[in-house]
Amino acid sequence: GENVEQHPSTLSVQEGDSAVIKCTYSDSASNYFPWYKQELGKGPQLIIDIRSNVGEKKDQRIAVTLNKTAKHFSLHITETQPEDSAVYFCAAKNNDMRFGAGTRLTVKP
Amino acid sequence: DAGVIQSPRHEVTEMGQEVTLRCKPISGHNSLFWYRQTMMRGLELLIYFNNNVPIDDSGMPEDRFSAKMPNASFSTLKIQPSEPRDSAVYFCASSLVAGASNTEAFFGQGTRLTVV
């Protein structure tokens, strides 16, 4: 089955700096790669996703890149703000959807 | 749509009791996932259904766990008998799968289960 690895497990940045979270996956049949943000006491919420026929996607301060050959995908947050502080999860989906272990992002004002 | 609805939000039960968690997926979605989240193990996929049929239950930890989806708008996850190590937050998520195309999965608010 699919195995998703995510790094780093914790990330602390200064407000205004960029944050990058990286994931790898094992199942070459996976074709959909969402990123979720989870705040305390809530369920994960989708913030951006990318499909296997696309290499990069951007939505305001958030961008994702996908390298299917290397089975890598990354989340980039620019101009970070304190409200970006949360746990971020990557996932890879073919039929089922498997998650990485999560990255706790702290943005210091 | 109100999104994925899970009940109860919180459940405290004694060891050995039966626990039933409930999920109502988003109307029109045909894929449903049950996850368990703990600090130690993160988000673990327990089981998922496509068109009400269980496709992969390899993540179900033991025979004490069972899940059903009697129709497109309802699913249950049952633990019988419950044990303290089952304490976790259980999430349900739903999505639409059309042919080879995947769409985003939406999560419920979760059920926080505490077994004492």
Side-chain angles (χ1 to χ4, degrees):
Chain A
E2 177 65 271
N3 181 44
V4 179
E5 297 202 354
Q6 182 172 347
H7 300 280
S9 56
T10 60
L11 179 59
S12 182
V13 300
Q14 207 66 38
E15 182 177 0
D17 288 349
S18 294
V20 180
I21 302 170
K22 298 184 179 183
C23 289
T24 61
Y25 63 100
S26 61
D27 185 356
S28 56
S30 289
N31 57 16
Y32 175 67
F33 306 90
W35 286 87
Y36 286 83
K37 177 182 181 182
Q38 187 177 27
E39 296 174 327
L40 199 61
K42 297 184 177 179
Q45 294 220 313
L46 181 77
I47 55 171
I48 194 166
D49 56 15
I50 190 166
R51 299 179 193 281
S52 57
N53 57 346
V54 175
E56 186 173 349
K57 182 176 177 180
K58 191 172 181 182
D59 182 4
Q60 298 183 345
R61 297 186 297 109
I62 296 174
V64 290
T65 58
L66 171 64
N67 182 331
K68 279 220 77 178
T69 304
K71 298 197 189 76
H72 289 176
F73 57 117
S74 300
L75 175 72
H76 303 250
I77 307 174
T78 58
E79 300 171 31
T80 53
Q81 301 167 3
E83 51 264 39
D84 294 330
S85 297
V87 180
Y88 291 81
F89 293 94
C90 63
K93 187 167 184 273
N94 178 13
N95 293 308
D96 61 3
M97 186 164 66
R98 306 281 174 168
F99 283 82
T103 297
R104 181 173 297 280
L105 173 65
T106 303
V107 180
K108 294 179 285 188
Chain B
D1 200 309
V4 176
I5 299 173
Q6 290 186 246
S7 63
R9 289 293 311 277
H10 302 274
E11 176 82 31
V12 180
T13 191
E14 289 187 347
M15 182 174 63
Q17 296 298 305
E18 177 180 295
V19 175
T20 300
L21 311 181
R22 296 173 175 80
C23 175
K24 182 179 186 309
I26 291 173
S27 177
H29 281 187
N30 58 0
S31 193
L32 185 140
F33 307 84
W34 281 101
Y35 290 90
R36 177 172 68 177
Q37 186 174 38
T38 60
M39 287 293 292
M40 291 298 295
R41 301 173 71 94
L43 269 166
E44 299 174 274
L45 178 64
L46 301 178
I47 186 171
Y48 79 98
F49 296 83
N50 275 355
N51 298 312
N52 313 339
V53 176
I55 303 300
D56 184 353
D57 65 354
S58 59
M60 297 284 261
E62 297 171 37
D63 290 346
R64 298 183 296 106
F65 286 68
S66 62
K68 293 182 180 179
M69 192 162 187
N71 56 62
S73 58
F74 185 65
S75 177
T76 59
L77 178 68
K78 187 175 292 187
I79 308 172
Q80 165 65 17
S82 58
E83 296 182 4
R85 60 194 168 115
D86 302 331
S87 298
V89 181
Y90 290 81
F91 286 104
C92 174
S94 72
S95 72
L96 175 65
V97 178
S101 179
N102 279 305
T103 63
E104 59 266 39
F106 294 87
F107 280 77
Q109 294 280 58
T111 295
R112 180 174 294 277
L113 173 65
T114 303
V115 183
V116 297

